[in-house]
Amino acid sequence: MRLDPSEAMNARSVCFTLLRFVRVVSSPRHPIMLFLDDMQWADSTVLDVIHTILSDTMGSCMFFIGTYRDNEVQIDHDIFGLMKRLEISNVPTTRVSLTGLDQDDLNTMISDVLCLYPRICKSLSDILFQKTKGNPFFVSEFMQSLQSCGLLQYNCHQKRWMWNEDIIRAEDITDNVLYLLSYKMNGLPGDIQTVLKVMACLGISTNESVIGYLSKSTEYAGFRKGLEGALHDGFIVKSGEGSLQFVHDKVREAAYNLIPDSGKKQPHSSFAAAYEVSLPPGQISINHGKKWIIKDKDLRIGIAELNMKAGTKALDGCNHKTAYSYLRFALSLLPEDHWQRHYDLSLRLNLLTSSAANSCCLYNEAEQHLRTGLTNARCLDNQLPFYLLHCQKLGESMPGSCSLEEASDMTRETLSMYIRVGDKWLEGETTDDKTLNTTLQFYRAIALACFFCKSYIMVLYFTCKAVQLSLKRGLCEYTPITLLQFTSVA
């Protein structure tokens, strides 16, 4: 898989950070363990990061465990490339193949569950093995389906479980666990089905605050009762503090299949509001229903604000690519007259999108949103955040304050730098560095604003910054006026 420049930069940044973190927190006496499940879904970027960390010879000490489903990967999957590269890098590796229970072990398990001798339940365990290939989860679901269909019954007179293998074989019972789960779910009360379908839309796990919010609405009045039923039936379990999750990803898949195809992409406003409560910054599946969102003028603004909040959280977590995706989607939902009707939202979105784009090395897009915000901002107060972002884009920093002593030190430092390069510096060639030109213009504008605000120390500070920058990077069109300004204030 070939990455674009921004993705490659993010991958290298993550790898660099993780590698140094592992070196700091691990040692031969105190190694760390990392376990990653379902690696069949990992892309080449993730596997490259894993390889870099595991093959590090500069002090990392990690015990890594990765699992994948061999029936869901092809021979050319990147995970096999990772194993080969680890061997080439002399990283000790051990491969363990976890298959389903064999026929004897499955028979022993069925014997324990039904409290019967193994020889008595051998015929039933053979059928289960044929249908489930010994997968314990599938065996459990299959047995429950047999019991719910009346094909596995407890005989009170004989005080044992009874079945007829001929009838079970004759029945059209599929070995597809999704079908079994869906069949089971279709017979559940409406409240439980609603809970399963909603949680399937929200992801593999859901925060209880989202459940609490939804249960307050009239549309989901029976949500709490349905949740108790789903927990009781074993479809959902509590994991950690304030979190609920499906017991297996196949359960979530079966629950999602309960939703008609026509309703899978049509969002509800209560879903959007519920997302605001916890707003996990990984995914907003409601975005997939954009063609329905566009039709609802009120909903599209709500979803735009939701994506803006998600983008803000992603930026706070340094997940710039995800943030840019959210913010771009939010901008796409705004109506044509959004600067007139939704001014504050438009201003904030353009500022955040410019920041995210700049962090993703999408400099043209960042510049475009920056100029859009500056052009449409109605006052200087609204323009200042964009000017500050522009300053950060140029790689410069701005202090909150500057004392007279600091300004004096900076003036002496600037004069020393000029003395070191000498007057011959002024006879050098002019650089074509456009960024330098823009930065000097920016500092000159800030210095003039400080002059009119009678903040003379800051005038000196920004003038010195401009001169020092030009001394370091060369002459440009605005160097003479910068030097003139320095001579007048220093």
Side-chain angles (χ1 to χ4, degrees), residues 37-54:
D37 194 11
D38 290 322
M39 287 185 63
Q40 70 274 6
W41 295 332
D43 60 22
S44 59
T45 308
V46 174
L47 298 179
D48 285 342
V49 172
I50 293 172
H51 173 263
T52 302
I53 294 175
L54 295 182

Side-chain angles (χ1 to χ4, degrees), residues 393-434:
K393 273 185 61 186
L394 296 172
E396 300 299 313
S397 59
M398 294 178 64
S401 61
C402 181
S403 65
L404 179 60
E405 183 179 354
E406 290 172 333
S408 299
D409 291 341
M410 198 162 188
T411 303
R412 285 192 290 270
E413 181 184 350
T414 305
L415 289 171
S416 297
M417 288 178 64
Y418 184 84
I419 292 171
R420 284 198 298 271
V421 298
D423 291 337
K424 290 184 178 180
W425 170 71
L426 295 173
E427 300 173 2
E429 294 185 3
T430 303
T431 179
D432 57 354
D433 188 347
K434 294 182 180 179

Side-chain angles (χ1 to χ4, degrees), residues 109-162:
M109 188 183 82
I110 301 300
S111 171
D112 290 340
V113 171
L114 301 181
C115 298
L116 295 171
Y117 290 114
R119 58 181 173 78
I120 297 176
C121 53
K122 182 69 165 63
S123 58
L124 176 62
S125 67
D126 287 344
I127 297 174
L128 291 173
F129 182 81
Q130 178 187 359
K131 294 288 186 180
T132 65
K133 307 302 184 226
N135 186 305
F137 177 73
F138 294 177
V139 170
S140 174
E141 292 301 321
F142 196 90
M143 289 188 69
Q144 289 183 51
S145 71
L146 292 178
Q147 193 272 332
S148 62
C149 294
L151 299 178
L152 179 64
Q153 297 180 334
Y154 187 78
N155 190 309
C156 295
H157 296 291
Q158 298 188 33
K159 296 182 180 180
R160 54 159 286 188
W161 288 94
M162 304 290 293

